[in-house]
Amino acid sequence: MPTAVDDLRIDGSRLHRRIEALGLIGAVHGPNGERGCARLALTDADRDARDLVVTWMRDLGLTVEIDRIGNVFATLPGTEPELAPVMTGSHIDTVATGGRFDGNLGVLAGLEVLETLITNGITPRRGVTVAFFTDEEGARFAPDMLGSLVYVGGLALEDALDIRAADDDARLGDELDRIGYSGALPVPAVSFPHSYVELHIEQGPILEDAGIEIGVVEGVQGISWTELTISGRSAHAGTTPMHLRRDPLLVAARIAGFVRDLTGELGGDQVGTVGRLDVHPNLVNVVAATVTMTVDVRNTDESLLQDAERRLAEFVATVADEEQVDVRSRTLARFEPVEFDPAMVDVVELAARRLGHSTRRMPSGAGHDAQMLARVCPSAMIFTPSVDGLSHNIAEYTAPDDVEAGANVLLHVLLERAGLG
Amino acid sequence: MPTAVDDLRIDGSRLHRRIEALGLIGAVHGPNGERGCARLALTDADRDARDLVVTWMRDLGLTVEIDRIGNVFATLPGTEPELAPVMTGSHIDTVATGGRFDGNLGVLAGLEVLETLITNGITPRRGVTVAFFTDEEGARFAPDMLGSLVYVGGLALEDALDIRAADDDARLGDELDRIGYSGALPVPAVSFPHSYVELHIEQGPILEDAGIEIGVVEGVQGISWTELTISGRSAHAGTTPMHLRRDPLLVAARIAGFVRDLTGELGGDQVGTVGRLDVHPNLVNVVAATVTMTVDVRNTDESLLQDAERRLAEFVATVADEEQVDVRSRTLARFEPVEFDPAMVDVVELAARRLGHSTRRMPSGAGHDAQMLARVCPSAMIFTPSVDGLSHNIAEYTAPDDVEAGANVLLHVLLERAGLG
């Protein structure tokens, strides 16, 4: 019934209702009516959101499985059980001031695709699995994309379980037990999917600026996260002559300024951000004793990214020496740029065009679980526009039509990969 | 008995024991055996310290009185009760990483002077009052020197009681009630002292570098505290092109760097410090939404201080415009430079030299309660050396001989001012 299948569409209003319902968990409200989410990984809010999505999965009669790092998988069996299933998914954890679409869209669109297949009595040859991965944001437990990284064998389970939370120093393994999501499936997975495709909001302004409906993601920027702990000498702000100061906050400020200047020099895709900075003792009339800060630099070109890292390290050493402070540097996360499978990318582009959508091939500026899955199976991503390019912001928004378009592209990519009996 | 009085000396070991005992309240320990204090104003630790000092005052049979802002006064009556008493004092609150001497020395040395007079059966013509003033540091409730400022009428009681804590947003008046130090004496005081002299550690390196025992303080630097609240736009650190960013943390960093550069340009006595900086949401992969920071600039010359303030404001406006962020500026504290009473300064210098100590006239880089008292009576200060110039630091230290020397100068200045029957 190829015609029927080609005409198959997801139920946009049903998908919209689930996005709204999930967005109520850990909801945060802005001054102008914005409604975002604060669901840091493995918090009570994350548990409540997981429980809701798992309930929806079970209501569809899907088999739900959980692995030892808390990744959740719901599978619609295929007609040929011996074949590896096709997988889609994303994450449902958010940053402290996150939106309702980041991650959640990919998970709920995958669920909507399965409900569409079930209600239309369509059973593909391969099974179709919808997954949500633990701690994709890395906002509470670094590195980001942690769950999918452990799933593909990029980080040992024991090491992951011992990671401490940035906010309350809680141990990841303890938090996983506490919320009841320490599952039985081994990690890394015993067998990997046939292929993986993830629908996600762009989180940037490119598609909207160009008036494009679907982003065909060819790869992901390389990411480098560094934590710098700068130790100087606490002293009285009024009586300590400037030339005798060893001020870690001044050094942190010089570094933050340098990061911005560096992106200007390197140009192109290079981005750099200082997003976290903690001062101790943090008092108006005391030269600080210590400052801890993070530097996030990203580039689609590995050699340029390494260049940025090297120049940052050189600057840090120079300014630390000038102010006579000590600096300890720690890598919180480091991922090389990723290129998705060309055949998968073609499938995404073709499906989008068949549905009559305008498309653009583009890299992803953000890290995604798909880049971890790309290590073990052919993978690709579908982007939908983000209004004003906003994400990691409670004002994050993607229009219903764009959400529906992205979900329909996902449906047809999954159908093409899973095949029909 | 002038000879006997000229030979009078305080008991250094008794004073040392009290400094050690008071230093145990809110004690914080450093990695190399340093022992400092964390006794922020109106906390439980501050209450415990107040209770201990008041107990010592009462044990000496002194009349203890508390005013409505929590300033505490203990008086040894003179032979001529109709004469205004001579006052000494300081504070016993500390910064979060403070030392055992800052403030505490002046209060306990004053107490030691009274005990010396009592045990030697000496009753001066004028009464002698030892005071400790509320929230001199301003570390928890801005402005600093708050208690003495209210005492002299520089800040209305109602306004002071409504000030909120920088750490937990507690209301000053509520905290004062909570720790039981909301007293009965009206503020501003009904009558002011005949004169005021305060012993304090230098909190800087000048005396130690010059090998001088006693600093004769001629005045106090002007102080300007500004709080800047910078609002930008929170966004994803990976997907937001640099040219579209409105990053308040970058602006804060540029400002902190400018403050250091400005002190270099202005030179002389100009100092400038960014000691407090709070970032929201403070996450590695999120461009910050808001940053709150403080800028502390000080100069002995009011016109130069105004120049520094003007240039800072101009820079803030420029950099805020470049990054398209909004900045709200609030003055937390502003005190013009103070010149102490020349006659009082002479008395301090003469007393120190009579005791055989080397002296140097100098300004104070830090704010002190004495500058508030200077508004209502002839005032001056005595400085003792600080090892390595460290203060607002748990490694703050002043050698026993220097402590004893300072206390003996205080004794003889108070005797000279109070007069003998």
Side-chain angles (χ1 to χ4, degrees):
Chain A
M1 42 183 180
T3 323
V5 168
D6 288 348
D7 297 342
L8 202 61
R9 299 290 183 271
I10 60 96
D11 181 336
S13 59
R14 187 169 57 195
L15 171 55
H16 183 71
R17 286 195 299 275
R18 284 207 177 107
I19 291 172
E20 289 301 303
L22 186 54
L24 293 175
I25 301 175
V28 288
H29 300 267
N32 308 318
E34 314 93 334
R35 186 160 50 76
C37 282
R39 285 206 309 265
L40 293 175
L42 309 188
T43 55
D44 291 354
D46 185 22
R47 177 201 57 213
D48 296 345
R50 287 166 170 261
D51 292 349
L52 178 61
V53 175
V54 167
T55 301
W56 285 332
M57 289 170 161
R58 294 218 166 97
D59 289 347
L60 290 177
L62 302 172
T63 312
V64 177
E65 297 176 291
I66 305 173
D67 70 17
R68 296 185 60 189
I69 198 66
N71 300 319
V72 175
F73 307 91
T75 301
L76 175 69
T79 54
E80 300 178 30
E82 69 282 9
L83 298 178
V86 173
M87 185 182 285
T88 187
S90 193
H91 62 94
I92 62 173
D93 67 311
T94 77
V95 295
T97 56
R100 290 165 291 159
F101 299 88
D102 182 356
N104 301 289
L105 171 61
V107 176
L108 297 180
L111 198 61
E112 173 56 32
V113 166
L114 291 196
E115 184 157 6
T116 299
L117 295 180
I118 292 166
T119 54
N120 287 272
I122 297 173
T123 308
R125 288 176 57 230
R126 296 179 182 276
V128 180
T129 300
V130 176
F132 59 85
F133 297 98
T134 296
D135 186 44
E136 190 273 347
E137 292 293 0
R140 188 171 176 220
F141 297 97
D144 55 348
M145 299 168 283
L146 182 139
S148 48
L149 179 62
V150 172
Y151 173 80
V152 302
L155 175 62
L157 176 66
E158 314 71 53
D159 298 339
L161 296 177
D162 281 335
I163 292 169
R164 296 280 173 173
D167 50 5
D168 60 3
D169 200 48
R171 182 176 168 276
L172 188 147
D174 298 341
E175 288 292 89
L176 200 55
D177 294 337
R178 187 181 68 78
I179 68 168
Y181 276 85
S182 179
L185 286 184
V187 285
V190 176
S191 63
F192 291 112
H194 163 268
S195 52
Y196 179 85
V197 60
E198 179 173 353
L199 171 64
H200 204 285
I201 57 170
E202 177 196 345
Q203 306 184 273
I206 297 167
L207 291 175
E208 182 184 54
D209 288 359
I212 301 285
E213 295 162 306
I214 296 292
V216 178
V217 186
E218 295 181 291
V220 181
Q221 283 189 335
I223 298 180
S224 171
W225 285 1
T226 306
E227 179 186 75
L228 300 171
T229 303
I230 311 167
S231 304
R233 188 173 65 177
S234 179
H236 192 292
T239 61
T240 310
M242 302 312 293
H243 70 280
L244 293 180
R245 298 191 177 202
R246 296 168 48 198
D247 185 346
L249 182 45
L250 174 77
V251 172
R254 301 284 197 209
I255 292 169
F258 175 81
V259 169
R260 170 61 67 91
D261 298 339
L262 183 63
T263 60
E265 283 179 47
L266 296 176
D269 293 328
Q270 182 65 54
V271 291
T273 306
V274 173
R276 184 157 69 85
L277 196 153
D278 296 297
V279 182
H280 178 76
N282 206 35
L283 296 171
V284 58
N285 59 344
V286 182
V287 175
T290 60
V291 171
T292 302
M293 70 191 293
T294 57
V295 181
D296 173 325
V297 290
R298 312 191 190 199
N299 199 305
T300 50
D301 181 302
E302 174 62 19
S303 65
L304 292 177
L305 184 58
Q306 288 179 15
D307 183 37
E309 291 176 311
R310 196 190 71 255
R311 293 179 59 178
L312 173 64
E314 288 168 358
F315 180 82
V316 169
T318 303
V319 70
D321 184 59
E322 286 172 4
E323 189 72 6
Q324 293 183 56
V325 298
D326 300 320
V327 181
R328 281 188 296 103
S329 178
R330 186 164 72 97
T331 298
L332 296 181
R334 180 64 166 87
F335 300 115
E336 291 189 10
V338 172
E339 287 186 18
F340 287 137
D341 178 75
M344 285 290 291
V345 173
D346 290 342
V347 170
V348 169
E349 188 171 52
L350 187 63
R353 290 185 178 172
R354 279 211 181 125
L355 288 165
H357 299 303
S358 54
T359 64
R360 168 175 294 189
R361 292 186 172 232
M362 62 191 296
S364 169
H368 295 292
D369 295 307
Q371 77 195 72
M372 296 306 160
L373 273 293
R375 298 186 185 187
V376 295
C377 67
S379 302
M381 291 187 74
I382 305 159
F383 272 178
T384 54
S386 295
V387 172
D388 292 336
L390 288 183
S391 185
H392 288 189
N393 184 316
I394 60 172
E396 173 189 282
Y397 184 71
T398 293
D401 288 354
D402 290 325
V403 166
E404 189 167 344
N408 277 317
V409 174
L410 178 65
L411 166 65
H412 286 278
V413 170
L414 288 171
L415 277 173
E416 195 282 339
R417 292 284 93 177
L420 292 177
Chain B
M1 44 179 181
T3 324
V5 168
D6 289 346
D7 297 343
L8 201 61
R9 299 290 182 272
I10 60 94
D11 182 335
S13 61
R14 187 169 56 196
L15 172 55
H16 183 72
R17 285 195 301 275
R18 285 209 176 106
I19 292 171
E20 289 301 307
L22 186 54
L24 293 175
I25 301 175
V28 287
H29 299 269
N32 309 317
E34 314 93 334
R35 186 158 51 75
C37 283
R39 284 206 310 265
L40 294 174
L42 310 188
T43 57
D44 292 353
D46 185 21
R47 177 200 58 212
D48 296 345
R50 287 165 169 262
D51 293 349
L52 178 61
V53 175
V54 166
T55 301
W56 285 334
M57 289 169 161
R58 295 217 166 97
D59 289 348
L60 290 177
L62 302 171
T63 312
V64 177
E65 296 176 292
I66 306 174
D67 70 18
R68 296 185 61 190
I69 199 66
N71 300 319
V72 175
F73 308 90
T75 301
L76 175 69
T79 55
E80 301 178 30
E82 68 282 8
L83 297 179
V86 173
M87 185 181 286
T88 187
S90 193
H91 62 95
I92 61 173
D93 67 310
T94 78
V95 295
T97 55
R100 289 166 291 159
F101 299 89
D102 181 356
N104 300 290
L105 170 62
V107 175
L108 298 180
L111 198 63
E112 173 56 31
V113 165
L114 291 195
E115 184 157 5
T116 299
L117 296 180
I118 292 167
T119 54
N120 286 272
I122 297 173
T123 306
R125 289 176 56 229
R126 295 178 182 277
V128 181
T129 299
V130 177
F132 60 85
F133 296 98
T134 295
D135 186 43
E136 190 274 346
E137 292 293 358
R140 189 171 174 222
F141 296 97
D144 56 347
M145 299 168 283
L146 182 139
S148 48
L149 180 62
V150 172
Y151 173 80
V152 301
L155 174 63
L157 176 64
E158 314 69 56
D159 297 339
L161 295 178
D162 281 333
I163 291 170
R164 295 281 172 172
D167 49 6
D168 59 4
D169 200 49
R171 183 175 168 275
L172 189 147
D174 298 340
E175 288 291 90
L176 200 55
D177 294 337
R178 188 181 67 81
I179 68 168
Y181 276 86
S182 179
L185 285 184
V187 287
V190 176
S191 64
F192 291 113
H194 163 267
S195 51
Y196 178 85
V197 61
E198 179 173 352
L199 171 64
H200 205 285
I201 58 171
E202 178 195 344
Q203 307 183 273
I206 296 167
L207 291 174
E208 182 185 54
D209 288 358
I212 301 284
E213 295 162 306
I214 296 292
V216 179
V217 186
E218 296 182 293
V220 180
Q221 283 188 334
I223 299 180
S224 172
W225 285 1
T226 305
E227 179 186 74
L228 300 171
T229 303
I230 310 168
S231 303
R233 188 173 65 177
S234 179
H236 191 292
T239 61
T240 312
M242 302 312 295
H243 70 280
L244 293 179
R245 297 191 179 203
R246 296 169 49 198
D247 185 347
L249 182 44
L250 174 77
V251 171
R254 301 282 196 212
I255 291 169
F258 175 82
V259 169
R260 169 62 66 90
D261 298 339
L262 182 64
T263 61
E265 283 179 45
L266 296 175
D269 293 329
Q270 182 65 54
V271 289
T273 306
V274 173
R276 183 156 70 83
L277 195 153
D278 295 298
V279 182
H280 178 75
N282 205 36
L283 296 171
V284 57
N285 58 344
V286 182
V287 176
T290 60
V291 171
T292 303
M293 69 191 295
T294 57
V295 181
D296 173 326
V297 290
R298 312 192 190 199
N299 199 305
T300 50
D301 182 301
E302 174 62 18
S303 66
L304 292 177
L305 184 58
Q306 289 179 12
D307 183 37
E309 292 176 312
R310 197 190 69 256
R311 293 180 59 177
L312 173 64
E314 289 168 358
F315 181 82
V316 169
T318 304
V319 69
D321 185 58
E322 287 172 3
E323 188 73 6
Q324 294 182 57
V325 298
D326 300 321
V327 180
R328 281 190 295 103
S329 178
R330 187 163 72 96
T331 298
L332 296 182
R334 182 62 166 87
F335 301 116
E336 291 190 7
V338 173
E339 287 187 18
F340 287 138
D341 178 75
M344 284 291 290
V345 174
D346 290 342
V347 169
V348 169
E349 188 172 53
L350 187 63
R353 290 184 177 171
R354 278 211 181 127
L355 289 164
H357 299 305
S358 54
T359 64
R360 166 175 297 188
R361 290 184 172 234
M362 62 191 295
S364 170
H368 294 292
D369 295 308
Q371 77 194 69
M372 296 304 161
L373 274 293
R375 299 185 182 186
V376 295
C377 68
S379 302
M381 292 187 73
I382 306 160
F383 271 178
T384 54
S386 296
V387 171
D388 293 335
L390 288 183
S391 185
H392 287 188
N393 183 315
I394 60 172
E396 173 189 284
Y397 184 70
T398 294
D401 288 356
D402 290 327
V403 166
E404 189 166 345
N408 276 316
V409 174
L410 178 66
L411 166 66
H412 286 279
V413 171
L414 288 170
L415 276 173
E416 196 281 342
R417 294 284 92 176
L420 290 177

